[in-house]
Amino acid sequence: MKILNPMAKYHDNLLLTVQPSHWVIAHLYLISIAIAFVFPPSLLFTLYAYFDLKCWKFNFSEQKILEKKGLFSIKETENYYFRIKSVTLDKPFLYRLVGLSILTIETSDYAKPRLVLNGIANGDQLRSFLYERIQYSRKKEGVRELDVFR
């Protein structure tokens, strides 16, 4: 059997890409600048933190959420929409001042049962987007949520 296009079966269109804001590590920037007057190599740590956060992305496609994280070593984690159990939106006071929020996604996945999107802009819109994708994915896959307690 010859497969002409092996990726055709797994084709999944990208709908949205989200990145954490640099406000999440603003305290590191301030501390690093203060220490740089005494110990200039501390700026290297700040550059590493900046680029590490810049390389952290959440890609929302039609079927799943793909978290891609890492500067030198890259780690990718997939979470399918139909496995999502709950979505929690937190808006701490300091995040609200700059329009950010924390979105916590609880899943039934064993590899990564909790996905935390820290420092996300437009958290309300992203949460409603997720609810729509979850309902659509569960209906398409014919999945119903069932919790079994011991």
Side-chain angles (χ1 to χ4, degrees), residues 109-146:
D109 194 1
Y110 292 110
K112 190 156 188 176
R114 176 178 282 173
L115 184 63
V116 179
L117 286 74
N118 194 1
I120 301 299
N122 301 322
D124 295 323
Q125 294 174 352
L126 187 57
R127 180 178 56 176
S128 62
F129 168 80
L130 274 174
Y131 283 137
E132 290 174 12
R133 295 305 314 167
I134 291 167
Q135 295 302 322
Y136 175 77
S137 180
R138 285 183 180 171
K139 188 179 232 184
K140 182 180 175 186
E141 298 291 329
V143 175
R144 288 187 287 172
E145 183 179 349
L146 176 67

Side-chain angles (χ1 to χ4, degrees), residues 20-76:
S21 173
H22 285 278
W23 282 102
V24 174
I25 58 171
H27 62 284
L28 290 178
Y29 294 150
L30 294 174
I31 292 170
S32 163
I33 290 170
I35 294 175
F37 292 112
V38 178
F39 188 66
S42 70
L43 291 175
L44 293 175
F45 173 74
T46 306
L47 284 174
Y48 174 77
Y50 171 82
F51 285 113
D52 189 43
L53 190 66
K54 192 78 172 159
C55 293
W56 190 7
K57 295 181 181 175
F58 297 96
N59 295 323
F60 294 85
S61 62
E62 290 181 355
Q63 298 177 1
K64 62 188 172 209
I65 303 169
L66 177 68
E67 178 186 17
K68 191 173 182 181
K69 186 176 184 180
L71 182 60
F72 298 115
S73 299
I74 297 172
K75 182 178 180 179
E76 293 182 354

